[in-house]
Amino acid sequence: MTSSTSPIPVPAGSSPETASAKPAPKDPWDLPDVSGLVVGVLGGTGDQGRGLAYRLAKAGQRVVIGSRAADRAEAAAAELGLGVEGADNAACARRSDIVIVAVPWDGHAATLEALREELAGKLVVDCVNPLGFDKKGAYALKPAEGSAAEQAAALLPGSRVTAAFHHLSAVLLQDASVDAIDTDVMVLGEERADVEIVQALAGRIPGMRGIFAGRLRNAHQVESLVANLISVNRRYKAHAGLRVTDV
């Protein structure tokens, strides 16, 4: 008994080789244009938030600083100039496309719980580092959810939560004499499109690159590394950052 098989049809004008070829992989450095997005910074009157607001505004981003007190945010925005605006936290969240969370760790959960409605549908970038300090120096804390970013994701089910901007020196960010910040920004998140927006935002700041560093479950070690950088800075009187090689 003999059997026969029918050949797989090939589209006209194509060879079997081209018909089965896979599309070229997406270039990981092909990032979106984020120049028209409004960036809100919760905790924008603190050193880290203020520094990020300054750098992004200097790069041409429209920035809104958020604080519990609107007048405090407005005063900080006026000092920064560069078109930076100030508002209370709720108004900051509502007016922004991307919201960076740069509040102190001890106020992290309460701040996000209070803003759940305003942050719904927003791209949230958590840069909070849960740290403790004693006479031996800084040490990492591990939240029940696993990390500050995972706590944010649990508290904000209607938001798209990512994590980034953990390892930046607030001193360098605020120093107007420093033109470029020579560092990479580790970016974590669940959706590639969201991660790429944050990578592109980091790349707006001269000297910085945004590097994909995994999903949110990997955020704890990224947040924890700040304790090591604090030790480096104290020993060497530096403002250390990170560079990822071979990418």
Side-chain angles (χ1 to χ4, degrees):
M1 181 177 180
T2 61
S3 63
S4 62
T5 57
S6 300
I8 299 173
V10 177
S14 299
S15 68
E17 291 78 10
T18 58
S20 61
K22 294 180 179 179
K26 185 179 184 300
D27 181 354
W29 297 112
D30 180 15
L31 301 173
D33 178 10
V34 298
S35 60
L37 299 180
V38 179
V39 179
V41 184
L42 302 179
T45 58
D47 288 339
Q48 194 79 0
R50 189 187 185 98
L52 282 168
Y54 168 69
R55 289 292 165 176
L56 290 169
K58 189 176 181 183
Q61 212 75 34
R62 183 181 166 196
V63 177
V64 182
I65 282 178
S67 176
R68 286 177 295 179
D71 56 350
R72 191 175 171 204
E74 290 164 357
E79 289 176 10
L80 288 175
L82 299 170
V84 176
E85 302 170 56
D88 63 54
N89 282 332
C92 172
R94 283 194 300 267
R95 291 162 57 183
S96 303
D97 302 303
I98 305 174
V99 180
I100 298 174
V101 182
V103 300
W105 166 241
D106 59 7
H108 183 260
T111 299
L112 296 184
E113 282 179 321
L115 297 173
R116 183 175 293 147
E117 182 177 341
E118 289 82 1
L119 291 171
K122 306 287 184 176
L123 177 54
V124 174
V125 187
D126 201 296
C127 69
V128 175
N129 302 305
L131 297 175
F133 295 86
D134 60 19
K135 61 183 179 181
K136 293 183 179 180
Y139 60 93
L141 303 174
K142 188 162 187 178
E145 298 84 354
S147 64
E150 288 169 295
Q151 183 184 87
L155 293 171
L156 303 172
S159 304
R160 295 139 52 210
V161 176
T162 61
F165 301 117
H166 301 90
H167 306 139
L168 306 181
S169 163
V171 173
L172 292 183
L173 288 173
Q174 295 182 86
D175 189 341
S177 70
V178 175
D179 293 325
I181 309 292
D182 183 23
T183 193
D184 287 332
V185 173
M186 311 286 272
V187 185
L188 304 98
E190 299 303 316
E191 300 294 334
R192 179 166 183 165
D194 294 337
V195 169
E196 289 182 347
I197 289 171
V198 182
Q199 287 181 263
L201 187 66
R204 297 271 289 159
I205 301 174
M208 285 191 195
R209 295 187 306 173
I211 303 289
F212 170 66
R215 293 180 179 269
L216 289 186
R217 68 180 183 180
N218 294 320
H220 172 65
Q221 55 264 38
V222 173
E223 296 168 2
S224 299
L225 188 58
V226 174
N228 302 90
L229 290 177
I230 290 172
S231 297
V232 170
N233 290 338
R234 286 181 174 174
R235 174 64 62 91
Y236 297 102
K237 304 293 187 276
H239 303 294
L242 297 178
R243 276 295 187 203
V244 179
T245 62
D246 201 32
V247 295

